[in-house]
Amino acid sequence: MNFGPATSEEDSFAIMDRAHELGINFFDTANVYGWKKGEGVTERIIGNWFAKGGGRREKTVIATKLYGSMGDWPNDDKLSALNIRRACDASLKRLQTDYIDVYQAHHVDRDTPFEEFWEAMEILRQQGKILYVGSSNFAGWHIAKAQETAARRGTLGLVSEQSHYNLLTRAVELEVLPACEDYGLGVIPWSPLGGGLLGGVLRKIDKGRSASDHMVKQLEKHRDAIEQYEKFCDELGEEPANVALAWLLTRPAVTAPIIGPRTIEQLDGSLRTLEIKLDEQALARLDELFPGHRTAPEDYAW
């Protein structure tokens, strides 16, 4: 998502090359990223990188998403059969590839029946344009309905769910994660650092680095917990961002968080996450600081 708005094409190329050097091969994007309506800026950057050759496309599992508006006319957004067809073809062109590994619905579309959604996705798969289908920002019951509809049609169904999940935002523990576990979906958390709040925000502000107005407001809302969290990370001798990522790797159904580096330094720094082992005492402390949820209905009933 940062490629284009925050990171130049040249630096984006360097980050992706470095990722391959490190053995990181799953890249996630979306047609709306770049935030210039209809231009697909981020997909174009990735496509230009693929075009450099050297096995870049072959080594990459590329995931992209559709739903957001790419134009001002009907069927320029959401999950109608027509938009699925058009959006896929447009993403393939921008990405300069003939197939997408994981094609994801960026959000649930309450106006499109799952029968229509699956028929359109099945056609894309039959045409060889996509391999798998994923969801993003689906509720637990949306996942169940999608999977049961797919089962009736005799098709594979969803293989992944991309959810907003971090120490501060844990609502998916109620029903989304249990649904993913039951149906065998891999969970790909987005915003794993809570928009930067879990990335050592207090020490950054203390050093004079700027923060957005939104982050400042959120920080005031969670200041006590964040202060205690950063102190706890100091006790562990680890960077807050890496602890937050390491915690996600302990969660049921989670495959890997989306780290979204803007620089090679951020990418390299995140590798420490893989070496952090949080014991039961550390996990219990994090639950104290950021209370989570038990599976529904036990979370609120019996």
Side-chain angles (χ1 to χ4, degrees):
M1 185 176 68
N2 290 317
F3 295 172
T7 305
S8 70
E9 181 167 298
E10 182 181 2
D11 288 345
S12 299
F13 286 2
I15 290 171
M16 290 186 282
D17 283 335
R18 178 61 176 155
H20 272 191
E21 290 175 12
L22 297 168
I24 296 172
N25 72 329
F26 181 84
F27 297 172
D28 172 77
T29 188
N31 60 359
V32 293
Y33 290 169
W35 314 118
K36 294 182 179 179
K37 185 181 283 189
E39 295 188 20
V41 174
T42 305
E43 285 187 333
R44 291 184 188 280
I45 290 174
I46 297 171
N48 291 339
W49 180 74
F50 283 155
K52 290 167 64 69
R56 287 174 171 83
R57 174 63 186 97
E58 292 77 9
K59 295 174 184 175
T60 301
V61 177
I62 187 67
T64 192
K65 300 184 284 291
L66 82 151
Y67 179 90
S69 178
M70 295 294 284
D72 298 320
W73 285 80
N75 293 301
D76 281 343
D77 62 3
K78 299 187 177 178
L79 303 178
S80 69
L82 181 57
N83 189 49
I84 288 174
R85 175 181 175 179
R86 287 175 172 172
C88 181
D89 286 345
S91 286
L92 288 170
K93 184 176 181 179
R94 287 188 292 267
L95 290 167
Q96 300 187 51
T97 185
D98 59 358
Y99 74 98
I100 294 164
D101 292 275
V102 186
Y103 200 37
Q104 303 161 107
H106 210 160
H107 196 279
V108 66
D109 181 359
R110 295 176 176 86
D111 295 326
T112 300
F114 276 111
E115 287 80 4
E116 178 180 346
F117 171 80
W118 281 123
E119 182 179 46
M121 289 297 186
E122 289 161 18
I123 291 172
L124 293 181
R125 186 180 285 127
Q126 291 162 4
Q127 293 173 335
K129 295 178 179 179
I130 66 172
L131 298 184
Y132 300 99
V133 179
S135 59
S136 181
N137 304 307
F138 275 30
W141 72 272
H142 297 140
I143 291 170
K145 192 169 183 179
Q147 296 304 76
E148 295 305 319
T149 303
R152 288 197 301 271
R153 297 179 62 86
T155 192
L156 179 62
L158 302 171
V159 300
S160 62
E161 159 61 21
Q162 191 175 143
S163 286
H164 190 192
Y165 190 29
N166 55 58
L167 280 164
L168 283 165
T169 305
R170 299 181 58 172
V172 292
E173 294 172 350
L174 284 163
E175 300 198 24
V176 174
L177 295 190
C180 290
E181 279 193 283
D182 191 72
Y183 283 107
L185 277 65
V187 175
I188 315 166
W190 62 266
S191 192
L193 302 184
L197 290 177
L198 299 168
V201 63
L202 291 177
R203 61 191 70 186
K204 290 177 182 177
I205 291 177
D206 288 343
K207 291 179 180 179
R209 299 185 198 175
S210 62
S212 67
D213 291 341
H214 174 73
M215 182 181 291
V216 170
K217 290 179 181 178
Q218 289 298 307
L219 175 59
E220 292 311 308
K221 180 179 178 182
H222 301 287
R223 177 174 284 275
D224 288 345
I226 296 297
E227 286 179 348
Q228 294 182 61
Y229 173 66
E230 292 196 13
K231 181 180 179 181
F232 177 60
C233 291
D234 287 338
E235 294 171 3
L236 294 176
E238 302 289 352
E239 290 295 321
N242 292 336
V243 173
L245 294 173
W247 176 81
L248 278 171
L249 291 176
T250 70
R251 299 297 87 194
V254 168
T255 298
I258 297 172
I259 56 176
R262 295 189 300 276
T263 65
I264 287 182
E265 290 73 24
Q266 288 181 348
L267 174 61
D268 286 342
S270 68
L271 294 179
R272 172 60 188 162
T273 298
L274 301 174
E275 301 173 8
I276 297 174
K277 304 300 179 185
L278 299 173
D279 59 24
E280 292 301 318
Q281 184 176 359
L283 292 173
R285 177 59 176 151
L286 291 172
D287 280 338
E288 289 177 6
L289 295 175
F290 306 104
H293 298 276
R294 291 186 296 162
T295 299
E298 287 83 1
D299 188 80
Y300 49 78
W302 54 270

